[in-house]
Amino acid sequence: MANLKFLFSFIILFLLIRTSLGGKQSTADVNVIRVGVVLDLNSTVGEMAESYISMAVSDFYAVNANYQTRLTLFTRDSKDDVVGAACAAQDLMKNEKVHAIIGPQRSAQVKFVANLGEKAQVPILSFSATSPFLSPNHNPFFIQTTQDDSGQVKAITALVHAYGWQEIIPIYEDTNYGNGLILYLKDAFQEIDVRFPYRSLIHPSSKDSDILKELKKLKAMQSRIFLVHMTTSLGSKLFVLVKNLGMMREGYAWIITQGLSSLLDPIDSKIMDSMQGVLGIRPYLPISKNVEDFERRWTKSFTSSRKANLFGFRAYDTIWALAMAVEKANIKQNSSFLKQNVSESKVDLAAIGVSEMGPKLLNTIRSTEFKGLGGYFRLVKGQLEASAFEIFNVRGKTEMIIGYWNPKTEQLSREAHDNNTTKIDAHSISKEILQQPIWPGDTTNQPKKLRIGVPSSFGFNEFLKIEWHPDHNDKPKISGFSIDLFLAVLDILPFPLPHEFVPYVNQNRQSAGTYDELLYQIKLKKFDAVIGDTTIVANRSSYVDFTLPYSESGVSMVVSMKDNEKKNMWIFLKPLSWDLWLAIGAVSIFIGLVTWVLEHRVNTKFRGPPDQQIGTIFLFSFATLTSSHWEKVVNNWSRFMLIIWAFMVLILTQSYTASLTSMLTVQQLKPEFVEVTVINRNGYFVGYHEDSFVRELLIKQLNINESKLKPYRTPEEYHEALSKGSHDGGVAAIFDEIPYIRLFLSKYGSRYAMVGPIYKTDGFGFAFPLKSPLVSYISRAILNVTQDKDKMTTIMRKYFASQTTCVDGSSAEISSYSPSLGVYSFGGLFIIVGVASMCSLLIYVAKFLHFHWPASNIIPIEGSFWLRFIELVKHFDQKDLCSCPFRRNESKLNPTISSSEGFGASPSIESIDDEEKHSRTSSEGADNVAIDENEEVFSPRHGDTSIDVASLL
């Protein structure tokens, strides 16, 4: 029995020993892989990373106890120095024969250590160096087990665009780490029209006094939106000074990048208090059971109240990735790890060997994938695959998550895994997608509000009106056409634009200056913009940028209308202009002269003594205008010409009658004057809109004496001044911009008119600082609003509906005033009459010369041309006895000749010869004379064959 108990105890002890030995691998069977770690052990990140790395090794082999490899870590302190990091890495590679190095922390340190790793073919894995300049593409043996800073650029850009900020001042440390991100941000911001008005560089070694000096400079600037990109040590110091300087109050906004936001938990509570209201961006870390379990164990193991953070998880996952790769690559402990370079150089850097297993281990690490504490671990071209970013708001001692940015959709969302690819209107992002943040100053009012200057205009309230209420002393009610139009523009902007209107007034609530002085406040950074009835002119564009105009452009003149035509004793001359009266008189005389030429040889009414003939010409000329002449014409060419002239006289008479009737029966208004030169010539006083640029235009461009200028502000003052006139204490004209003039004429249009030339301006516009990116957005929005007929009609009716019904034709523009009919109106008729008269005259003269030129040959050859001309004139002055009127006359005076012919008596030879001779010399007019044997030439009572012009008229 005792033997059985002993045997049983022996069996149990054997099984226990075997079980114990079976649970562990023999130390001799494990391949120990030497791995170097380079950290800044005195820094927050370095201290924390060391503990994370230690736990990662323990956790990995607790889970993978059957692995044939074990990582042995050799830690070195870089002492926060580039040279120290390089020396540590060199020592690890040369003396410790490490297969890989984790670290160092900072980008500047990694840059040099990565070159050493490439030389020795030892993989360098960094979990905290995020500079975009450290791309694995440039160094194949460098692996970034974290995202570089360029990965957060799109998330930052989306956040800035969501809140509609157009200017941001970056504050970053003057290192490779700081400079790397800013270059990427600049390019990204240009795509959304966001600019850097100033860049603030702070060196990591800067003293508090140096930082304060820089912050005071930033405080004096107009911008209130800041982006901070720096490490924890410098960022912590910065925000304490920011709060002490009063830059953590309402109106400011602060954004921090992942380099600082990933380490908020380890930051001291005093520093957290100075960062209230800050927005931060950092990679999204999905919360899982493993993460919660790790945080619980880490807190217990290290007795720390700090929460786990991004860089700790990255360091943890880096150890796991390296341990997996070492096992997968089957690295042997006894394998020849390093072989010396052929070079015999005695320099330490040149004496570093080359790892035989380095390339294999590198490729294995690059292909390793697993689900780690920091999310899914996958390397893309030697760099950790991009993940989502979370946007948080510092509130108290916690960070409240207000939204996410998804790299797949490149959009902001409230859910981390929102894969909706539908494009969202950027205008609604901040209001509907992101949760409401608490801004610095413990307010929900979004910074930055644009301080918009508003001119204090008490004249034309339809455009802009400021009302001060006793209950709200500091916040007046501001309204008007310009304000409503601006608000309509804001409604269609692709982003929100917080703003506040600030009247440009003094302590007495009176205007603090002219429009030019108001606009100059933008350059002085007192205002961010000026909204109102501000005119776009060249000299102002030197210190502000204007949007596209939203109103009519130009400056013109308003004068009084007068109505005294009915009291004018010479009003009967007004229907026709002086040049037309003179033209009618000249043509009438010409018609009379041509008629005399055509009728002189065949019509006794156009013959007689010279004085009688001259009287006949003038009497006939003007008698045709009144249809009261008694002379009758017998020449067909005269009849043709007078018919056309009678038609023209008819038109002139009817036009004259209509115009004169209008003048006598309808109220006739005309401007006092229409030319600007009349002002200087007569020394008139001139009015203008007070505080506007029109005053300079009158003095410099129109050369009006400054002593003759009087400022006015309201339409009522305009009316009173124009009513008095220049000689009774008023003015003769008012110069102002066309929108004001139209508003004035809508009230008093029947008494005044806009006359003279229009002096070009570009109309009303909104003003912003030079090179402001808002100008392009506002200008495009103005086009959309002004081209929207329904929207513009609604705004116009709100302020101008009561006046538009008063506008009539008398208030229209008058560039020149000419109520009389002119020559040009009847130019065509004058041409027709002139052509008809000249044709009749030329044909008659041609026939006359044809018949009578041979008769002048009786003059000796040696006779002069003048003698021949005199002979022709004598022939012209003779009666044309062969013409029908004179032949009939002769037959009535000599009836015996007719009787003898009737009885067959033959005429004498002499009479036949005389008749043939006279026929040869005078028959040129016979064809043009009417024949009527029943009428008598000399007596109108017997019915002459000539035409009565009066009957035509």
Side-chain angles (χ1 to χ4, degrees), residues 699-714:
I699 297 174
K700 297 178 180 179
Q701 188 170 341
L702 301 184
N703 299 318
I704 297 178
N705 194 316
E706 187 175 356
S707 62
K708 297 294 184 180
L709 301 180
K710 294 184 178 182
Y712 299 101
R713 306 194 67 174
T714 66

Side-chain angles (χ1 to χ4, degrees), residues 822-834:
V823 175
Y824 187 79
S825 302
F826 304 95
L829 291 174
F830 280 114
I831 292 175
I832 294 174
V833 171

Side-chain angles (χ1 to χ4, degrees), residues 106-162:
R106 303 185 183 279
S107 300
Q109 299 169 348
V110 171
K111 184 176 182 180
F112 190 63
V113 172
N115 291 332
L116 294 177
E118 182 180 14
K119 185 176 181 65
Q121 296 188 5
V122 174
I124 307 298
L125 293 82
S126 177
F127 61 87
S128 59
T130 58
S131 173
F133 296 149
L134 298 174
S135 173
N137 295 329
H138 302 153
N139 192 321
F141 279 85
F142 172 63
I143 298 176
Q144 274 185 310
T145 58
T146 185
Q147 299 181 48
D148 69 11
D149 288 332
S150 63
Q152 64 181 320
V153 168
K154 290 185 177 180
I156 295 173
T157 303
L159 180 64
V160 171
H161 187 59

